């Protein structure tokens, strides 16, 4: 198969940058990000100091991140910063087309649907080895699938949004509920994966970073399912501190605030020119901007509106992504009163989404009245909507019997996310609007690095919480299935009819019936209101003039062997097939 196509940056136009700068002058605000928690240095394969940024002999690329990764085993995490790093090291059977974001061959060169969509045969690359020298073959694929399927409860409890459950619905201890059935080698480089039923999203979902192939030898020797090490307040495995995949970069070390990767000499694909990648945690937005301007880093993500104005003035390159995430206000129906749909309708009527967005999000961010982004083409034009009407909100609160009891509202502090670059300011505006409509809000700020996600997915002393979801592959199930496909502690939302609708929709072949099914699902969510969709935010990264091209992607499939630097000579062409 030919090597991957060259990725070229999508740089915002000068007029757009001037518009951003002008918007900032009119009151657009910046955000802050998390203070890192001191941690014990993980075992490292090397402790050599990184070369200075811009060193043309080593081609080092440094990227500023808003938070530390929660772990480096993609099967057990779901956060952007962890995925950003693991994408460089672990590859899946299916990749992402850089132009369309549609599924594309990666470790599998091709696939064939069989048994009316209940099985898929994959032809695998024959020139691939893992970073530890072990061969990539059909047996390795099956070892990974069986590891995910048989993951013990104490391991998968690490994160409530583990991708295997979101896609395949259940693990081996509930075989009657799982869509995954088995994996069978048909030869050294041919593998058959059987499903218990049609799963239309199966191929797109395999592009998730969570389905990156790991060395079976490393999974066993590093105890991937044994959480024996504590880091950042989480229990992790040795594998999560030193992953082994087939990607263009290998793990070097993870210190308190940096993860360092090195180019893999045995990589099957286009090697690229980057030899060392440094992911440097720089929590505060202004600090990331200063680090870029002082050439301490070559780029960073999650540009805020205030950043955009200064970056435009400084001539930096802002790379805008198409909107593919949703910001929402979650509601916990196990909290007294929140289980009343009239109460939840009052919440929806109390929120002025246009006012919430203005000055807090990049230009192009739009208000949301459903959870599936318009990009997927199944958005419902005729959906139950709740116009901003604080008077109606007060009436509904009275009907619901709410008497002003304090309502704990959890929101993250000191973090930037693709769907929420300024959480404190967004919370402040939401709190103001809800208070004006008659709610008594009790603020509960929580540091992101102190386990905010775990808190809002498990803590019962919570009426409201602010969170979002970033899509990783192109299918509506990536949104409604992941968020509302089954019961979760986050919403304490029980609607078996909706769960069944979502389970059915993912089995339908592409076409009008599937579109209609997802529109019906969006309507059911709008009526039941487990959460209030707020916005489809625009996100953007920024890179220095040193960067000639950067593989910007709406689904964050940004692998750094596709970066070109102005001060590094082009490498010799790859000899890979």
């Amino acid at each position: 198969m030919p090597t991957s196509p060259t990725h070229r940056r999508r740089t915002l136009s000068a007029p757009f940058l001037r518009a951003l700068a002008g918007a900032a002058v009119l009151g657009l605000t910046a955000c802050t990000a998390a203070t890192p928690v001191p941690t014990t240095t993980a075992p490292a394969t090397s402790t050599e100091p990184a070369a200075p940024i811009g060193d043309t002999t080593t081609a080092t690329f440094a990227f500023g991140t808003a938070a530390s990764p929660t772990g480096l085993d993609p099967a057990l995490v779901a956060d952007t910063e962890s995925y950003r790093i693991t994408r460089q090291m672990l590859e899946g059977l299916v990749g992402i087309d850089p132009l369309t974001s549609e599924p594309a061959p990666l470790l599998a060169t091709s696939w064939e649907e069989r048994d009316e969509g209940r099985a898929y045969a994959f032809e695998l690359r024959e020139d691939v080895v893992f970073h530890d020298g072990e061969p990539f073959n059909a047996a390795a694929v099956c070892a990974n699938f069986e590891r995910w399927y048989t993951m013990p409860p104490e391991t998968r409890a690490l994160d409530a949004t583990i991708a295997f459950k979101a896609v395949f619905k259940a693990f081996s201890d509930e075989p009657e509920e799982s869509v995954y059935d088995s994996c069978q080698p048909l030869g050294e480089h041919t593998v058959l994966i059987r499903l218990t039923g049609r799963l239309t999203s199966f191929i797109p979902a395999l592009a998730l970073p969570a389905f990156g192939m790991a060395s079976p030898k490393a999974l066993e020797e590093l105890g991937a399912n044994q959480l024996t090490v504590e880091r950042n307040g989480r229990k992790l495995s040795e594998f999560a501190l030193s992953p082994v995949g087939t990607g263009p970069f290998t793990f070097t070390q993870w210190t308190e605030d940096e993860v360092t990767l090195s180019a893999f000499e045995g990589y099957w694909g286009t090697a690229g020119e980057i030899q060392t990648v440094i992911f440097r945690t720089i929590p505060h937005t202004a600090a990331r901007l200063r680090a870029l301007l002082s050439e301490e880093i070559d780029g960073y993500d999650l540009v805020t509106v205030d950043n955009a104005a200064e970056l435009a003035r400084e001539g930096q390159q802002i790379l805008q992504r198409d909107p593919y995430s949703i910001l929402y206000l979650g509601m916990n129906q196990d909290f007294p009163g929140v289980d009343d749909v009239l109460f939840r309708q009052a919440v929806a009527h109390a929120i002025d989404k246009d006012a919430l967005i203005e000055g807090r999000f990049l230009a192009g961010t739009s208000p949301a009245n459903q959870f599936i982004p318009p990009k997927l083409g199944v958005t419902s034009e005729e959906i139950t909507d709740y116009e901003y009407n604080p008077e109606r909100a007060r009436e509904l609160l009275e009907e619901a019997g709410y008497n002003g009891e304090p309502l704990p509202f959890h929101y993250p502090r000191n973090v930037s996310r693709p769907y929420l670059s300024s959480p404190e300011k967004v919370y402040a505006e939401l709190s103001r609007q809800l208070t004006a409509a008659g709610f008594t809000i009790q603020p509960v700020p929580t540091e992101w690095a102190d386990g905010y996600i775990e808190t809002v997915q498990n803590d019962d002393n919570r009426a409201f919480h602010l969170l979002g979801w970033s899509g990783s592959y192109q299918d509506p199930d990536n949104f409604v299935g992941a968020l509302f496909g089954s019961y979760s502690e986050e919403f304490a939302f029980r609607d078996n009819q909706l769960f069944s609708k979502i389970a059915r929709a993912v089995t339908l072949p592409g076409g009008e019936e599937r579109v209609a099914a997802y529109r019906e699902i969006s309507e059911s969510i709008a009526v039941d209101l487990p959460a209030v969709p707020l916005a489809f935010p625009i996100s953007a990264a920024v890179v220095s003039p040193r960067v000639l091209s950067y593989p910007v992607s709406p689904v964050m499939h940004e692998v750094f062997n596709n970066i070109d630097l102005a001060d590094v000579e082009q490498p010799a062409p790859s000899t890979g097939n």
Side-chain angles (χ1 to χ4, degrees), residues 65 132 143 202 289 295 305-306 357 386 402 454 462 484 554:
T65 63
D132 59 3
F202 177 59
L289 185 148
E295 300 183 358
V305 287
D306 197 49
I357 290 170
Y386 303 88
Y402 175 68
E454 291 86 347
R462 167 180 47 85
F484 307 115

Side-chain angles (χ1 to χ4, degrees), residues 90-366:
L90 289 90
E91 301 171 308
L93 298 179
V94 178
I96 299 287
D97 184 281
L99 299 179
T100 66
S101 296
E102 293 291 333
L106 193 53
L107 291 182
T109 58
S110 64
W111 48 84
E112 178 187 18
E113 179 182 305
R114 296 185 180 179
D115 193 18
E116 298 182 333
R118 290 187 289 271
Y120 285 83
F122 293 85
E123 294 295 328
L124 308 178
R125 292 188 175 278
E126 300 182 11
D127 53 350
V128 180
V129 295
F130 290 101
H131 300 156
D132 59 3
E134 292 293 301
F136 169 73
N137 52 29
V141 172
C142 289
N144 277 270
F145 268 92
E146 288 303 303
R147 181 249 169 155
W148 301 326
Y149 180 54
T150 61
M151 196 177 293
E154 61 271 19
T155 301
R156 66 194 194 227
L158 187 67
D159 196 303
T161 53
I162 284 179
F164 187 88
K165 181 178 181 182
V167 173
F168 296 102
K169 310 310 176 190
F171 298 89
S172 59
D173 52 0
E174 296 180 301
E176 68 283 354
E177 301 294 331
S178 181
V179 182
Y180 174 79
D181 181 71
S182 63
C183 179
Q184 175 189 357
L186 300 180
E188 181 70 10
H189 294 98
T190 305
V191 65
L192 183 71
I193 298 174
R194 293 189 180 277
L195 308 173
T196 60
R198 173 180 283 276
L199 184 63
T200 305
S201 64
F202 177 59
I203 294 299
L206 288 185
L208 275 166
F211 298 127
M213 292 287 141
S215 163
K217 178 181 177 182
L219 289 173
E220 181 177 355
E221 292 183 351
L222 298 177
N225 284 343
Q226 301 165 20
L227 310 183
T228 58
V229 182
E230 182 156 335
R231 189 177 183 90
N232 291 356
R234 293 165 64 96
K235 286 286 189 180
L236 302 177
S237 70
E238 291 288 346
F239 180 83
L241 297 175
S242 185
V244 180
T246 66
F249 297 97
T250 66
F251 176 81
T252 300
Q253 65 178 359
W254 181 5
T255 61
E256 180 178 328
D257 58 1
E258 285 188 0
V259 176
T260 304
L261 312 179
S262 301
F264 177 38
E265 292 183 2
Y267 184 53
W268 61 268
T270 302
E273 60 194 39
I274 306 297
Q275 295 298 304
T276 303
V277 176
I278 300 171
F279 292 97
R280 185 171 298 158
T281 303
I282 306 176
H284 295 282
T285 319
R288 291 199 297 278
L289 185 148
R290 290 194 300 270
L292 179 69
L293 296 183
S294 62
E295 300 183 358
E296 297 172 34
I297 59 174
D298 296 299
Y300 68 87
D301 204 353
L302 312 180
V303 172
T304 64
V305 287
D306 197 49
N307 278 175
E310 185 167 352
L311 291 166
R313 290 193 296 268
E314 295 291 339
Q316 304 295 314
Q317 304 175 78
I318 299 177
L319 311 175
Q320 182 183 12
R321 300 183 185 92
D322 292 335
Y324 203 59
S325 62
I326 179 74
L327 172 67
Y328 60 80
L329 175 66
M331 294 180 280
N332 172 27
Q333 294 188 34
D334 275 348
F335 192 86
V338 182
D339 60 337
D340 190 329
V341 70
L342 297 178
F343 177 94
R344 302 195 300 277
Q345 290 173 358
V347 173
H349 280 297
I351 297 173
D352 183 346
K353 297 175 185 178
D354 290 322
L356 181 68
I357 290 170
E358 185 178 359
R360 297 172 183 85
F361 295 86
L362 291 177
T365 296
S366 60

Side-chain angles (χ1 to χ4, degrees), residues 6 45 125 138-139 186 203 256 357 383 400 451 456 484 495 549-550:
T6 301
T45 59
R125 292 188 175 278
L186 300 180
I203 294 299
E256 180 178 328
I357 290 170
I383 192 171
V456 301
F484 307 115
D495 186 338
S549 69
Y550 179 92

